[in-house]
Amino acid sequence: MSDGPERPPVPDGDVSADRPAAGPAESLRLAGRERRQRGRLHVFLGAAPGVGKTFTMLDEGLRLADDGREVLVGVIETHDRPDLIARLGGLEVVPRRRVSYRGVTLEEMDLDALLRRGPEVALVDELAHSDAPGCRFEKRWQDVDELLDAGVDVVTNLNVQHLESINDAVEMLTGFAQRETVPDAFVAGAERIDLLDVDPQTLRLRIAGGAVFAHGEETSALAGYFSREHLIALRELALGWLEGRDHVEGATRGRGRPLRSSSPSDRVVAALTGEAEGEHVIRRAAQLAAASGAELVG
């Protein structure tokens, strides 16, 4: 990736004339590092905020841990929600790095600590997040790219409005500008993408019940960004982006990034509540699943 700042050199791979030759054990370790493949990226793509991306990501982490994989939580935004905090009980969370900026102490994912631990799988919430000044990279997706380069599998999530190519369309549609974006090619290069979506009425009920926003913000959210019309349009944007994913992936060729697997490991998830538009949702989801070889989950 060329969007981020230059990465510092990795000292382990630099053997200079002034340094003694590596012993047999060190040579084997370095050879093992060179053979290590780039990690696999699994993305939960939300059609809108509040559809359950973080919860589903944690469930996937627990499933992998039950299968015997070493799973660490690199960063998780619980927003003090009891259901998310409860899901964390079975997973180890890497303490965050404290960064001082303009007299304020901020907490960010500790990338270096994760790299030192070198888990099989890292869970990284909110892929589109902007790192605080003073961190190695400007964007969290660049942190994830570094983890993948180190051979760590990463499970992460983002909402469709944070995809770079869709950003302007979302602003025109909703009137809300999205400051944080992720390059389409990076997301499209994931080995697996699961679309998460719920019926607009169900999501609006979640918001009205206080399950998504802090108390007092529900009314403005429902009247603005989360109007029924906006949620339907965001779903269409997400489905359309997935349908065109093969074209996006072409931009990753020649950059050493994995292209999309043709195996049916992707899933299209359709959640229904019996509303009249349910037939349309199922039809579009079935079309997408058939076109991409994905599994349709209802």
Side-chain angles (χ1 to χ4, degrees), residues 41-287:
L41 180 62
H42 180 178
V43 176
F44 288 105
L45 178 65
V51 297
K53 301 180 307 301
T54 301
F55 194 94
T56 306
M57 181 190 71
L58 288 175
D59 271 353
E60 177 66 6
L62 290 167
R63 184 190 70 79
L64 291 170
D66 287 343
D67 287 344
R69 305 287 301 280
E70 180 191 10
V71 180
L72 292 181
V73 178
V75 64
I76 179 73
E77 306 293 348
T78 65
H79 304 291
D80 295 325
R81 288 175 49 188
D83 56 343
L84 290 178
I85 294 172
R87 303 304 287 175
L88 275 174
L91 296 170
E92 180 182 352
V93 181
V94 176
R96 298 196 194 194
R97 173 190 176 193
R98 301 172 74 86
V99 181
S100 295
Y101 179 65
R102 293 184 177 178
V104 178
T105 299
L106 305 172
E107 294 188 344
E108 294 288 354
M109 182 176 75
D110 194 333
L111 175 60
D112 289 328
L114 270 172
L115 290 171
R116 285 193 298 269
R117 290 287 300 273
E120 291 184 73
V121 183
L123 306 186
V124 179
D125 205 9
E126 298 188 1
L127 184 64
H129 172 80
S130 295
D131 292 341
C135 292
R136 187 186 306 184
F137 297 112
E138 295 180 2
K139 301 290 185 178
R140 187 168 287 168
W141 71 263
Q142 294 170 309
D143 297 331
V144 168
D145 197 34
E146 187 86 341
L147 289 169
L148 295 171
D149 274 346
V152 178
D153 291 349
V154 177
V155 183
T156 187
N157 60 66
L158 80 160
N159 291 316
V160 67
Q161 72 263 24
H162 295 296
L163 290 167
E164 206 168 63
S165 68
I166 290 180
N167 182 258
D168 290 343
V170 172
E171 183 176 359
M172 291 178 60
L173 170 71
T174 66
F176 293 87
Q178 304 294 326
R179 295 181 296 105
E180 298 177 319
T181 61
V182 179
D184 293 57
F186 182 76
V187 180
E191 180 167 300
R192 175 171 176 171
I193 299 178
D194 290 344
L195 175 63
L196 299 182
D197 185 26
V198 296
D199 180 87
Q201 183 60 23
T202 300
L203 180 54
R204 286 171 57 81
L205 288 173
R206 284 185 189 176
I207 295 171
V212 178
F213 292 100
H215 181 68
E217 298 179 358
E218 303 92 345
T219 301
S220 60
L222 290 171
Y225 192 90
F226 291 88
S227 70
R228 185 174 179 276
E229 293 75 15
H230 288 169
L231 291 175
I232 292 173
L234 288 169
R235 169 191 289 157
E236 290 295 319
L237 284 173
L239 290 169
W241 187 88
L242 283 171
E243 287 177 335
R245 180 183 170 200
D246 287 334
H247 299 292
V248 175
E249 279 187 320
T252 67
R253 294 186 183 275
R255 297 186 185 180
R257 298 293 182 257
L259 296 182
R260 180 182 182 213
S261 169
S262 60
S263 63
S265 59
D266 290 358
R267 291 181 294 172
V268 177
V269 182
L272 306 175
T273 59
E275 295 292 322
E277 66 177 17
E279 181 179 350
H280 171 71
V281 173
I282 288 292
R283 183 169 59 252
R284 292 283 282 125
Q287 290 171 350

